[in-house]
Amino acid sequence: MSKAVSSAGVSNSGIGASVKRREDVRFITGQGSYVSDVEMQRQTYAVFIRSPHARARILEIDASAALAMPGVLAVLSGAEMAADGIADLPCGWAVVSKDDSPMKVAPHPTMAVDSVNYVGEPLGVVIAESLQIARDAAEQVLVDYEELDAVISLAGAISAEQIYPEIPNNLCYEWALGDEAETNAAFESADHISQLDLSNNRLIPNAMEPRAAVAEFDATNDSYTIYTTSQNPHLERLVLSAFVQLAPEHKLRIIAPDVGGGFGSKIFVYPEETAAAWASKKVSRPVKWTCDRAESFLSDAHGRDHLTRVELALDKQGLFLGLRVKTTANLGAYLSLFASAVPTYLYGTLLAGQYKTPAIYVEVQGVYTNTTPVDAYRGAGRPEATYVVERIVETAARELGIDPAELRRRNFIQPSDFPYETPVALVYDTGNYGASLDKALELARYDSFAERKAEAQSRGKLRGLGFSCYIEACGLAPSQLAMQLGAGVGLFESGEVRVNPTGNVTVFTGSHSHGQGHETTFAQVVSDRLGIDLDSVEIVHGDTGRVEYGLGTYGSRSIAVGGSALVLATDKIISKCKVIVAHLLDSEADLIDFEDGTFTLRDSNQSMDFAEVAAAAYFPATFPEDLEPGLTATAFYDPDNFTFPAGTHICELEIDPDTGVIEIIQFVAVDDFGKVINPMIVEGQVHGGLAQGIGQALLEEAVYDEYGQLQTGSFMDYCMPRADDVPNFVVDTTVTPCTHNPLGVKGCGEAGAIGSPPAVINAVTDAIGIKNISMPATSEKVWRACQQSKSSSGGAV
């Protein structure tokens, strides 16, 4: 069977084709199947009792009034969970401080037992016949608290009252990376030093679908089935069995059906699904819980929240000599699953950026506060690192009077330098940063920017342009390196390709799709490799009862790691097919060629198509003894290195100095994602990331008051980007294929959110003529900066 090929030489449905997402039909017609759609016989409903205080002792819980209500089955507490042997929720990454001491882990009970440490922390759960009864009953549960002083300020956390007796100064770790002495020496020899104090604002993920769980305990075999909104079902099963000790691993089935977005917030194991599963055994009935939006704001893991001082040392020619960074990172009240790694190994290792900075040293203090736990959010450490690097590089360019594009180009790692080992522990395998910058400059019409700036000024507007040249480490793995750095599990991925007797194919992947389009792109990879029609390939994911063990989706790893596993599995399929064909044609396997779905005996006119071989595999009447029937292959892929997508983003915007209102006129993003499987899906991923990055730069921020009450606990107060906040993006790519995976891919899901915030803020500061402004650069903040700049300059801004 041959597939149609476009005039450009790319298969209409294979690798490189912009195939429409197959899964979108069910989504846009309301046919998606989400956790909240799951209904079980005799199902009950859970509502959690949550702390109204940021820090308090629990003195007494009186549930008598709730238990007396008709339809209430149980009111369960954290103390009861602990008594049943349910252990604390773990952190999956061990970080060692610079003095070689282990990080200090605060005890994290699934539901609070003796004390609560952030507003919204669950301490009990009501199980009832209906959701309304459960809600009404939860309001009748009386909790007597002794309120304590809360630690809220990140800047003051180390000197504040101690939250946990065993953790002095609220300090989880003091981590460092790089050569401090060499970096200090670079600064001593510098001709110019630039310095900035930066904040990376706290964000709330706000995935379209709130978290949810439906859990059922089967008393006949002591097993649990849990439907949950998870980005990595197998990892959730591992944590619930090996660490939380809910049940043995083979007695847990985790199913994550269609999931409406995650952005990292659905990687983690949360108290709610754990408690729902435990409660299903306590009441001997299925338990359903769906988070409402107010709960999501309070209880979903937040992102970012750093305070940083950064210094860049340069010589007379503007060459970088050294980078020195000191960051305080907010971990929240407890360590979430990946929380310890985000401000350390996912942050400090990316501070080299795209530049040949010979000496880099970073220190990070991870501190506890009485706020919602903080963990990975789209980009996870990489956006924070890029913001630090690209803000200080832009600042240095302005201070030295060097064109910001030229200063970057002057310090770029060159193509001839690869593989390039940075001073912060990574080895970049390939790249061409100058090519991305050149294309971005052309698309942004950089040469004529001065004219556009002058024209805007004639209308009383301020126009600015900002750069961001980012790099990220993606394809999270390799296992050996990750585990050496403290990861609790290996980060490989699995794939199974099952060819049916009629020649169609079912693919099982350990990756999970929650908006990425795996049902399309993974099918493109398999159909392209096997030379079969795209519609002949089905993708199955998200069910530990059906899929081989896998590590899920996060860190832009799906195509680079999960897709590579599928390539290895299809290679095994092709190899076995060659053996079958050789047997049937009375030849040798190494004489069988395979191209475009057809197996051909070399130098002959004898051939078999893929469907014929598939049928022969299941009807092995004449097979030799050493040739097994069937046509199924499983592969695990564990890469040798991370992948390193990179690119240049350029933001051009206009400010009304009388109102502080910003209009983004143009945003150009040129990215190097290696080989691209589906350009249309990749462009969509970039668009979404850019919108989120612009949201962080201009609009979004989680704000607590001094008592630990979340002041931005709804969409009335937490400002999300809307369609009129973003321009029509100009998106393009350059290509340097990854050198160490079989597809040559790098990953694309987080790039937009990584590169865009510094580009936007660099444009804002350029327009106003100021050195710094904190994110989010709201209209009020920008207006005040304009007035201050006008006052200091003695006239118009």
Side-chain angles (χ1 to χ4, degrees):
M1 181 192 336
S2 64
K3 296 184 293 182
V5 177
S6 70
S7 59
V10 176
S11 164
N12 289 337
S13 61
I15 292 174
S18 288
V19 179
K20 291 183 179 179
R21 293 184 5 149
R22 303 194 299 173
E23 49 268 69
D24 283 354
V25 174
R26 71 174 185 271
F27 293 147
I28 64 176
T29 58
Q31 302 301 307
S33 178
Y34 299 91
V35 173
S36 291
D37 296 319
V38 175
E39 298 288 338
M40 294 186 173
Q41 291 185 350
R42 302 177 66 244
Q43 178 175 283
T44 64
Y45 296 82
V47 169
F48 284 87
I49 303 154
R50 298 184 182 275
S51 170
H53 304 295
R55 184 171 176 235
R57 293 190 183 93
I58 301 170
L59 302 180
E60 184 181 5
I61 300 175
D62 182 0
S64 56
L67 288 168
M69 294 175 63
V72 174
L73 302 178
V75 179
L76 305 170
S77 69
E80 291 174 89
M81 284 195 81
D84 276 1
I86 303 300
D88 287 358
L89 296 177
C91 177
W93 204 294
V95 169
V96 176
S97 290
K98 63 181 184 178
D99 64 359
D100 293 328
S101 63
M103 66 184 187
K104 297 175 176 63
V105 181
H108 187 186
T110 304
M111 293 198 297
V113 178
D114 300 314
S115 62
V116 290
N117 286 297
Y118 65 94
V119 172
E121 181 174 3
L123 58 132
V125 62
V126 174
I127 310 297
E129 296 285 0
S130 74
L131 179 58
Q132 191 57 55
I133 292 173
R135 284 175 174 166
D136 291 343
E139 293 180 357
Q140 297 302 311
V141 176
L142 301 178
V143 183
D144 188 12
Y145 297 96
E146 179 189 349
E147 194 170 356
L148 303 172
D149 290 338
V151 178
I152 306 302
S153 166
L154 175 58
I158 291 176
S159 59
E161 182 174 338
Q162 205 164 299
I163 300 173
Y164 303 104
E166 65 276 21
I167 303 178
N169 305 117
N170 301 313
L171 190 60
C172 177
Y173 53 72
E174 192 165 18
W175 177 86
L177 181 65
D179 190 319
E180 183 178 17
E182 184 178 346
T183 304
N184 289 341
F187 274 82
E188 290 172 4
S189 65
D191 294 294
H192 180 83
I193 296 174
S194 294
Q195 178 181 298
L196 276 176
D197 290 318
L198 302 171
S199 62
N200 208 290
N201 40 324
R202 178 184 280 238
L203 303 176
I204 298 175
N206 287 316
M208 185 177 294
E209 178 201 20
R211 291 186 295 115
V214 180
E216 181 179 33
F217 176 73
D218 187 344
T220 64
N221 59 11
D222 290 328
S223 68
Y224 294 86
T225 299
I226 306 171
Y227 290 83
T228 186
T229 49
S230 174
Q231 296 179 215
N232 45 0
H234 286 91
L235 187 58
E236 176 137 353
R237 183 180 67 171
L238 175 64
V239 170
L240 289 177
S241 60
F243 299 95
V244 178
Q245 299 175 23
L246 177 67
E249 193 169 7
H250 68 292
K251 296 292 186 179
L252 285 171
R253 182 181 182 185
I254 309 295
I255 302 172
D258 290 331
V259 173
F263 311 117
S265 69
K266 293 174 182 173
I267 298 171
F268 325 118
V269 178
Y270 285 93
E272 291 86 0
E273 65 259 33
T274 308
W278 168 75
S280 72
K281 182 176 182 179
K282 300 292 285 187
V283 301
S284 300
R285 290 174 62 180
V287 173
K288 183 174 189 174
W289 169 75
T290 301
C291 192
D292 65 34
R293 188 59 69 178
E295 285 183 293
S296 291
F297 274 92
L298 292 172
S299 62
D300 290 3
H302 293 177
R304 316 290 195 249
D305 207 355
H306 287 191
L307 295 174
T308 295
R309 170 162 289 183
V310 54
E311 299 169 286
L312 179 64
L314 304 93
D315 68 12
K316 291 179 181 178
Q317 286 73 44
L319 297 179
F320 301 164
L321 301 177
L323 183 73
R324 195 158 52 195
V325 178
K326 185 163 187 178
T327 293
T328 303
N330 199 339
L331 303 173
Y334 304 107
L335 283 178
S336 181
L337 193 62
F338 285 165
S340 58
V342 174
T344 53
Y345 293 109
L346 298 181
Y347 168 69
T349 55
L350 271 300
L351 288 171
Q354 299 184 7
Y355 310 111
K356 290 195 289 188
T357 309
I360 301 174
Y361 180 71
V362 54
E363 289 186 354
V364 178
Q365 295 176 317
V367 301
Y368 292 107
T369 61
N370 291 118
T371 61
T372 299
V374 179
D375 209 318
Y377 172 71
R378 196 170 191 169
R382 281 74 54 86
E384 296 92 315
T386 298
Y387 189 71
V388 168
V389 172
E390 290 305 295
R391 286 289 293 116
I392 195 64
V393 170
E394 192 89 1
T395 299
R398 294 173 189 173
E399 291 176 347
L400 292 171
I402 300 174
D403 180 279
E406 170 56 28
L407 183 64
R408 288 173 166 86
R409 190 189 308 278
R410 199 174 292 181
N411 288 280
F412 276 160
I413 301 163
Q414 298 301 313
S416 59
D417 295 326
F418 293 103
Y420 180 82
E421 184 173 356
T422 76
V424 279
L426 294 181
V427 178
Y428 301 164
D429 64 324
T430 186
N432 188 339
Y433 309 138
S436 295
L437 177 61
D438 289 341
K439 183 173 282 192
L441 290 171
E442 179 184 355
L443 293 172
R445 298 174 294 126
Y446 184 59
D447 289 344
S448 59
F449 171 69
E451 299 169 14
R452 298 193 297 277
K453 186 178 181 72
E455 188 278 330
Q457 189 172 11
S458 72
R459 293 183 283 106
K461 302 295 178 67
L462 308 176
R463 189 169 284 226
L465 185 143
F467 289 85
S468 173
C469 294
Y470 77 92
I471 191 167
E472 54 171 327
C474 291
L476 288 188
S479 296
Q480 185 174 2
L481 175 59
M483 295 184 77
Q484 286 174 353
L485 297 177
V489 295
L491 296 176
F492 53 82
E493 197 48 85
S494 71
E496 178 186 353
V497 176
R498 185 181 300 172
V499 182
N500 301 311
T502 54
N504 50 46
V505 175
T506 304
V507 174
F508 300 86
T509 174
S511 299
H512 184 273
S513 180
H514 40 277
Q516 291 84 356
H518 293 173
E519 292 176 38
T520 304
T521 52
F522 282 9
Q524 285 181 258
V525 169
V526 172
S527 70
D528 191 272
R529 302 286 290 192
L530 296 180
I532 61 177
D533 190 78
L534 186 72
D535 291 334
S536 297
V537 182
E538 177 193 17
I539 306 297
V540 177
H541 64 91
D543 185 346
T544 63
R546 298 186 65 190
V547 176
E548 185 70 67
Y549 185 89
L551 273 300
T553 293
Y554 42 86
S556 302
R557 72 190 301 271
S558 292
I559 195 66
V561 188
S564 293
L566 296 179
V567 169
L568 299 185
T570 57
D571 287 348
K572 291 181 180 180
I573 292 290
I574 293 168
S575 294
K576 183 170 183 180
C577 284
K578 288 183 176 181
V579 173
I580 293 171
V581 172
H583 170 72
L584 295 175
L585 298 184
D586 195 24
S587 183
E588 301 294 330
D590 58 5
L591 296 178
I592 304 300
D593 297 323
F594 177 67
E595 184 177 1
D596 202 20
T598 300
F599 295 87
T600 303
L601 177 60
R602 196 174 305 145
D603 300 326
S604 82
N605 62 357
Q606 298 183 77
S607 65
M608 296 180 69
D609 67 26
F610 186 79
E612 291 176 305
V613 181
Y618 286 92
F619 303 100
T622 63
F623 278 13
E625 292 184 1
D626 60 348
L627 183 57
E628 293 182 353
L631 196 54
T632 297
T634 298
F636 287 80
Y637 178 72
D638 197 350
D640 296 328
N641 195 0
F642 301 107
T643 63
F644 297 99
T648 295
H649 291 185
I650 301 177
C651 175
E652 185 173 336
L653 51 77
E654 200 169 87
I655 297 172
D656 184 340
D658 294 329
T659 64
V661 172
I662 292 174
E663 179 186 359
I664 297 179
I665 304 299
Q666 176 178 258
F667 199 106
V668 172
V670 177
D671 303 289
D672 178 1
F673 298 134
K675 193 168 185 178
V676 173
I677 305 299
N678 185 314
M680 181 172 60
I681 288 178
V682 166
E683 185 170 344
Q685 287 286 311
V686 173
H687 282 202
L690 293 176
Q692 283 184 278
I694 290 169
Q696 175 173 13
L698 300 181
L699 302 166
E700 299 182 48
E701 184 175 27
V703 177
Y704 287 92
D705 69 12
E706 60 184 308
Y707 304 106
Q709 299 296 327
L710 184 64
Q711 301 297 289
T712 51
S714 75
F715 290 130
M716 293 291 289
D717 305 297
Y718 187 91
C719 189
M720 299 278 284
R722 302 182 183 185
D724 60 356
D725 292 314
V726 297
N728 289 320
F729 300 118
V730 179
V731 175
D732 209 332
T733 58
T734 58
V735 178
T736 56
C738 176
T739 61
H740 56 78
N741 67 53
L743 287 168
V745 295
K746 296 184 181 181
C748 68
E750 297 164 301
I754 292 170
S756 55
V760 173
I761 297 300
N762 284 336
V764 171
T765 56
D766 178 55
I768 304 173
I770 57 176
K771 183 175 180 178
N772 199 12
I773 191 169
S774 62
M775 296 191 291
T778 61
S779 295
E780 179 186 0
K781 199 181 292 183
V782 169
W783 177 82
R784 291 186 184 280
C786 288
Q787 304 316 303
Q788 292 170 3
S789 180
K790 180 179 179 180
S791 175
S792 63
S793 63
V797 178

